[in-house]
Each structure stands twice: as C-alpha cells, then as structure tokens.
Amino acid sequence: MSREDMVFTRSNTGIRGKYNEAMKILEYSIMMVEFFELEEFNNVIAAQLRLILCDTSKRGSKIIDNSLIRKIQPNPQLHQIKELVNLTVDGNSFVPDELFDYEKPRIPLSDWLNQVILSITLQNKKQDITIFDFIKHSANKSGGAHVDASLEEKAFIVDVHSKRVLCNIARGLFRAVGRNFRKKNVENLSYIIEKLNEKASE
C-alpha cells in the first residue's frame, strides 16, 4: 500500500533566507533596469514583489496570504504615496521619481497595497490603479510569471505603464524595511565587476 507524501515545514531561518533571496533578486533586477537599461528585468521585479508583498495560495475555497513579508513581520507598516498620477488617454503624464512620502505616518500592508497611484479615464470610464494592481497584473499577466494573450482594460493600462512604476514600488519597499538600497547597489555592482575581472583573467 502506498503512503501519502510527507509534508515538511520550512524553519524560520529558512523563511528568512527566502525573504533575503527575494530582496537580493530585487536589488540586482533594479540595477539591471536602471543602470544597464535592461527593461526585461521588470518582469523579475514584478514576480519578486508579488512573492514578498501579496502572494496567495488557495485551500479549498479559502484564500491564504502567503506573502514573505508577513512571515518575517506579521504586521508590516509601509509608507504612504506622495501623490496620485492622472494619465491622459494618450498616456502622457508625469510619474514622479519618488512615489512615497516618507514624512507621513506609515500604514498597514493591506492599506498600502490598496493605495491608488494611477488614475485614467477611457471612454468615460475611470480606472483607478492601485499598487496591488500593478504588482499582480505585471506578475500574473505581463511576463512576471505568466503572459496572457489578451488583457482586460486595467491589466492593459498596467502593462503600458508598469516599467515606470515597478522600480519605484520596490524602492519604497526597501525604505520601509530599512534596507539601504544605495549601499546594496554599490556592493552588488562591485561584486559583478570583481567577478568579471576574475573571469577575464582566467
């Protein structure tokens, strides 16, 4: 008689290791987008943001929060957005370099994810795009983990504008959890240069 598969529980150390891995992948991916201008890495950013901030799993009819950040900090608090960006129909707009206001009080993760950061009216219908929308649609429909052949209206808007927003969302996350992105960026770039020099001298 065959037995059922065993289930193993990941230790707290193991969970923190996965959290740090995801953060490191985010750091390198932002470097690839902003420094090396490899915009394809926005797909990686979307996937890691989902994993860290809003990943879920389904057990029967119940949706389970599976985000890494809640496993590390049960009640994470993040920074509020600085201003809402209103897009014109042709997509012309100013997206601020810094989305978040670090002087305002922090808010719970669920409220943070539901902040509207872009708003656009198409054919008399207003679409408000939240941080959650940007992460989930980018990850689930536009190349982070899946690519959909057709996109509903909100997902299409995210697909068009996500390249200008995902890095800023990640930077806000780093600031909220006390991760010095500028310092890490220098360390990571130095590591790449060191490895390239090692390979070149072989």
Side-chain angles (χ1 to χ4, degrees):
M1 181 181 295
S2 62
R3 63 169 177 80
E4 292 184 359
D5 286 348
M6 293 185 289
V7 177
F8 297 87
T9 301
R10 200 182 297 275
S11 67
N12 290 336
T13 301
I15 291 172
R16 181 166 288 278
K18 288 298 177 183
Y19 171 81
N20 288 330
E21 281 180 12
M23 285 294 195
K24 178 66 71 176
I25 293 169
L26 265 185
E27 291 168 1
Y28 273 100
S29 298
I30 294 173
M31 180 197 301
M32 292 299 166
V33 172
E34 295 185 344
F35 189 83
F36 293 103
E37 299 181 354
L38 296 172
E39 293 186 350
E40 296 85 352
F41 279 86
N42 272 300
N43 295 322
V44 183
I45 294 172
Q48 297 308 307
L49 286 174
R50 184 188 69 175
L51 181 64
I52 295 167
L53 294 166
C54 51
D55 196 25
T56 57
S57 58
K58 193 172 183 180
R59 294 178 189 170
S61 59
K62 190 175 182 181
I63 303 297
I64 307 298
D65 188 322
N66 199 37
S67 58
L68 280 174
I69 195 169
R70 286 196 187 276
K71 293 180 171 66
I72 302 299
Q73 303 176 37
N75 299 297
Q77 303 277 319
L78 295 95
H79 299 285
Q80 298 182 52
I81 63 167
K82 182 180 291 185
E83 58 186 295
L84 175 67
V85 178
N86 288 290
L87 297 176
T88 59
V89 174
D90 60 6
N92 293 325
S93 66
F94 170 71
V95 178
D97 291 332
E98 183 54 74
L99 285 177
F100 300 98
D101 188 334
Y102 300 112
E103 301 300 321
K104 292 180 180 178
R106 298 189 188 199
I107 56 178
L109 176 60
S110 56
D111 294 337
W112 184 83
L113 288 169
N114 286 320
Q115 292 181 105
V116 176
I117 53 176
L118 293 178
S119 184
I120 183 171
T121 300
L122 295 175
Q123 296 184 349
N124 299 319
K125 182 176 181 180
K126 185 180 180 183
Q127 292 283 8
D128 289 330
I129 316 296
T130 65
I131 293 175
F132 178 83
D133 292 327
F134 261 97
I135 295 172
K136 294 292 274 191
H137 285 308
S138 296
N140 293 352
K141 297 178 181 294
S142 296
H146 306 281
V147 176
D148 285 6
S150 59
L151 299 170
E152 64 269 22
E153 199 167 278
K154 185 173 284 190
F156 175 76
I157 296 168
V158 168
D159 189 65
V160 171
H161 297 284
S162 62
K163 291 179 181 179
R164 296 186 290 174
V165 175
L166 288 172
C167 285
N168 286 336
I169 293 174
R171 285 175 174 273
L173 168 64
F174 289 145
R175 183 77 174 263
V177 300
R179 201 171 180 98
N180 189 330
F181 174 70
R182 182 172 295 180
K183 179 182 177 182
K184 294 288 186 181
N185 206 30
V186 171
E187 292 174 357
N188 294 336
L189 185 57
S190 297
Y191 178 77
I192 290 175
I193 294 172
E194 178 185 338
K195 288 299 179 182
L196 287 173
N197 288 334
E198 286 179 6
K199 293 296 182 181
S201 62
E202 288 181 355

